Amino acid sequence: MSDEEITLPWIDEPMDVEEAVEALGQASVDDGDHLEALEERIERLERRVDALEDGSSIECPDCGRTEAVYKSGVGAAKLANDGGLSDANADALNQESHVCLDCRESFTPAFD
Ligand SMILES: [Zn+2]
């Protein structure tokens, strides 16, 4: 039963399923530049998302340090945990993308 043979349109001889899957995988790898371009694009987007998610590479414009910089959602959660989230800084966090928990300054880093 497991020796069932399937036929791929561009291959004349029937092959077993394992070989066919391998050929299909090979085919999609060979399937062209647009795949590669797509992967590159995804990679770029992922790097950008990483930069936004991971505050560690972003400097606080106030103190110039990176250690306490978080994405504002994360920062808000941390501040709330510490009981330090006031209406005023909640508002600021809604406006800006990042916050430095050292200075409690929120800001939006410039990309590019
Ligand atoms: Zn700071």
Side-chain angles (χ1 to χ4, degrees):
M1 276 304 227
S2 64
D3 284 340
E4 193 180 345
E5 288 186 341
I6 61 174
T7 311
L8 297 172
W10 62 91
I11 292 166
D12 295 335
E13 293 171 34
M15 52 170 67
D16 67 34
V17 172
E18 208 171 283
E19 275 175 329
V21 167
E22 213 167 275
L24 268 177
Q26 196 58 43
S28 63
V29 168
D30 289 343
D31 203 30
D33 300 335
H34 74 278
L35 255 183
E36 209 170 289
L38 200 65
E39 275 168 15
E40 263 173 40
R41 207 170 146 197
I42 290 170
E43 227 170 80
R44 268 205 304 279
L45 282 171
E46 279 175 349
R47 275 203 297 274
R48 177 148 181 152
V49 168
D50 279 351
L52 286 171
E53 301 257 317
D54 166 26
S56 67
S57 60
I58 291 162
E59 266 181 27
C60 169
D62 236 47
C63 64
R65 296 176 56 207
T66 59
E67 289 86 352
V69 174
Y70 294 94
K71 220 180 161 194
S72 54
V74 178
K78 286 182 185 291
L79 281 176
N81 246 348
D82 298 347
L85 187 62
S86 67
D87 282 350
N89 53 32
D91 277 351
L93 286 169
N94 279 331
Q95 314 267 328
E96 309 288 354
S97 70
H98 285 74
V99 61
C100 171
L101 290 188
D102 262 5
C103 333
R104 308 222 158 166
E105 283 295 325
S106 51
F107 60 97
T108 302
F111 282 98
D112 300 328

